[in-house]
Amino acid sequence: MPAIVIVGAQWGDEGKGKITDMLAERADVVARYNGGDNAGHSVQLGTERFALHQIPSGILYPDCLCIMGNGMVVNPRTLNRELDELASRGVDISPRRLKLSDRAHLNLPHHQALDGAAEAARGNKAIGTTRRGIGPCYADKASRSGLRAAELRAPAHFGAKLRAALEEKNRWLRDFYGQDPLDVDALVDEYVAHAERLAPYVADTTLLVNQALAAGKRVLCEGAQGTLLDLDHGTYPYVTSSYPTVGGALVGLGIGPRWVDRVIGVAKAYTSRVGAGPCPTELFDEVADHIVEVGREYGTTTGRRRRVGWLDLVVLRHAARVNSLDQWALTLLDVLTGLRPLRLAVAYEHEGRELRDFPSDAETLAACQPIYVELEGWDEDITGVQHFGDLPAAAQEYIRLIEEHTGVPVGLVSVGPERRQTILRMPL
Ligand code: IMP
């Protein structure tokens, strides 16, 4: 059985956690391919709720091997915290079950300090990052000065390299940003201890994933964030610093495209984004308040209220194209219940011209006005609906419009947080 890739189609927070979790139950391997602890999703298992940031949700299934791929930037401090939390709740976190790529880069305290300092220095042009150090860490990776997880295997050497990095970045913090330097001795001690604890998890995960695929195992590739936060295909510069799109899965795990059987795009039935940057269908009225409250649109990682708006089919067409999506998993449809009328953006108007394709630069996007189609909406409670045919006519029409305007079938519709609250139109 080849690989299935799950990608977010919008600005992250599409509800990938639930879909990944449903697929993880039947997967042999769950492999995360990008980002770090900027991501976060909560998974409901029985009566327990688990908040995961870096560890794939497959960890909750005893027979599943979890991989943190080379495309990730891993924070040793928060990874150990996540491991402690899982262990305290009885989850088996032995290195037999969880592997950290030796090629993954380490997200270290100076990255977080520089992320915060750079954001503060940007003033009203801030990106609105999670301040988790993601950008500076990927920047070090690209400039070939980062530290990789392989270093954790030799804690003393790692400590020396970390000391040199901290001393260098302290000069930036102090001389360029006018900030207090980091406490090098204390951090080296702390991080050598993190290294000792994490060393047994470090492995050549590219080998493991490819061996699993060759042996016919089911591999689920889990992306964090979403297409519009992709460093190349998103709303640059208001993006994250990794590749949440399907190409990121190949590079970020070290697999070739012939293994990919299916690409599932997860999209919310409306739009949300956190952080700065244009969002053409954003709403500021009571409809926004309804969506935020009913959809609990507050960040899992930062607690920030998310910006929300109508569903944008220009965005979804872009995501369908750059990820060559096979199907949609549409989430949070129930949040739209009671909103009348409903609107979906099918194109933009820009300087008197109609744009059907997503523009590549943020300035053009900021000047776009959405062109909407309007639908009647519905008032019926849909949270118990199991079959497409039992949805109100307007909800069916909403889904048909998505298919018509993106050319991609909606294979799954989520109508509530629990697994049973799912309408399956195509096999998962
Ligand atoms: P960074 O990834 O912390 O550098 O943040 C860059 C942008 O990506 C900001 O707009 C963040 O709000 C956004 N972002 C990062 N991770 C997530 C996520 O998991 N969900 C939604 N937005 C995210």
Side-chain angles (χ1 to χ4, degrees):
M1 271 295 274
I4 296 177
V5 183
I6 296 187
V7 298
Q10 295 150 316
W11 279 278
D13 309 316
E14 296 93 352
K16 294 182 292 295
K18 172 175 162 177
I19 313 301
T20 307
D21 185 47
M22 287 176 75
L23 283 158
E25 193 178 19
R26 284 183 278 137
D28 298 300
V29 178
V30 180
R32 165 96 176 261
Y33 60 82
N34 75 303
D37 62 358
N38 50 347
H41 61 253
S42 37
V43 181
Q44 185 85 29
L45 194 67
T47 54
E48 298 239 38
R49 209 166 173 78
F50 294 87
L52 299 168
H53 296 276
Q54 298 178 100
I55 299 176
S57 53
I59 199 75
L60 304 177
Y61 301 101
D63 297 326
C64 191
L65 174 68
C66 289
I67 288 191
M68 301 171 68
N70 56 276
M72 288 186 71
V73 288
V74 172
N75 179 330
R77 180 192 273 159
T78 56
L79 178 55
N80 273 328
R81 213 179 280 153
E82 220 169 308
L83 287 169
D84 286 341
E85 164 75 11
L86 287 168
S88 74
R89 296 168 73 179
V91 178
D92 176 5
I93 50 139
S94 67
R96 185 183 59 80
R97 304 210 42 226
L98 176 67
K99 306 287 182 190
L100 166 59
S101 169
D102 47 8
R103 296 177 172 93
H105 274 250
L106 297 175
N107 179 359
L108 297 163
H110 47 277
H111 296 126
Q112 293 128 47
L114 286 169
D115 194 1
E119 277 289 89
R122 286 184 194 112
N124 62 7
K125 294 210 166 54
I127 292 163
T129 74
T130 59
R131 298 188 177 219
R132 294 291 197 275
I134 306 297
C137 186
Y138 278 113
D140 274 356
K141 171 178 175 174
S143 64
R144 296 156 293 180
S145 57
L147 292 178
R148 307 207 291 184
E151 307 278 358
L152 300 173
R153 290 195 184 114
H157 276 102
F158 165 67
K161 288 184 178 172
L162 174 60
R163 177 176 294 281
L166 285 166
E167 281 166 357
E168 186 207 318
K169 303 296 185 196
N170 264 348
R171 288 202 289 278
W172 278 99
L173 284 169
R174 204 179 39 224
D175 301 344
F176 187 73
Y177 290 113
Q179 298 225 343
D180 289 339
L182 297 168
D183 183 341
V184 175
D185 288 336
L187 287 170
V188 169
D189 285 351
E190 180 192 334
Y191 276 75
V192 166
H194 289 313
E196 280 161 0
R197 168 132 192 246
L198 292 176
Y201 292 94
V202 177
D204 182 347
T205 56
T206 299
L207 210 54
L208 297 175
V209 177
N210 278 285
Q211 280 167 351
L213 286 164
K217 301 261 170 75
R218 290 160 297 194
V219 176
L220 182 61
C221 309
E222 176 186 357
Q225 290 88 40
T227 299
L228 283 250
L229 291 173
D230 186 277
L231 188 54
D232 281 31
H233 300 291
T235 46
Y236 190 89
Y238 302 100
V239 291
T240 191
S241 300
S242 69
Y243 298 103
T245 47
V246 68
L250 306 185
V251 180
L253 294 172
I255 60 173
R258 80 185 159 94
W259 290 117
V260 178
D261 180 45
R262 244 186 320 151
V263 188
I264 301 177
V266 184
K268 250 179 201 170
Y270 49 89
T271 296
S272 78
R273 100 169 278 181
V274 272
C279 181
T281 61
E282 185 169 8
L283 294 166
F284 303 93
D285 54 9
E286 62 285 358
V287 175
D289 294 337
H290 169 105
I291 293 175
V292 168
E293 291 319 312
V294 180
R296 283 170 300 187
E297 290 296 346
Y298 297 92
T300 324
T301 299
T302 58
R304 291 181 285 182
R305 178 182 156 126
R306 297 184 184 131
R307 302 159 59 194
V308 297
W310 295 120
L311 185 62
D312 189 336
L313 297 176
V314 186
V315 164
L316 263 50
R317 269 200 299 277
H318 175 67
R321 187 182 310 127
V322 300
N323 293 299
S324 59
L325 295 180
D326 292 295
Q327 65 181 84
W328 292 113
L330 185 71
T331 62
L332 291 140
L333 185 66
D334 52 303
V335 173
L336 300 182
T337 300
L339 289 178
R340 283 164 172 275
L342 291 173
R343 297 200 170 98
L344 301 94
V346 292
Y348 300 145
E349 199 223 291
H350 181 259
E351 294 179 349
R353 290 188 22 235
E354 185 176 309
L355 284 190
R356 293 197 53 82
D357 298 319
F358 195 73
S360 53
D361 66 294
E363 288 77 18
T364 306
L365 187 64
C368 283
Q369 291 302 320
I371 300 172
Y372 288 114
V373 293
E374 220 166 79
L375 271 190
E376 219 177 275
W378 63 89
D379 290 318
E380 298 92 325
D381 178 2
I382 60 168
T383 56
V385 174
Q386 296 281 306
H387 303 286
F388 181 74
D390 295 335
L391 283 170
Q396 294 188 23
E397 182 57 18
Y398 196 83
I399 290 165
R400 278 199 207 100
L401 276 172
I402 296 171
E403 296 184 322
E404 182 190 319
H405 284 269
T406 61
V408 174
V410 176
L412 180 155
V413 183
S414 173
V415 290
E418 290 177 29
R419 276 190 195 200
R420 58 178 178 78
Q421 295 176 295
T422 308
I423 300 168
L424 275 185
R425 302 178 73 208
M426 293 166 82
L428 252 191

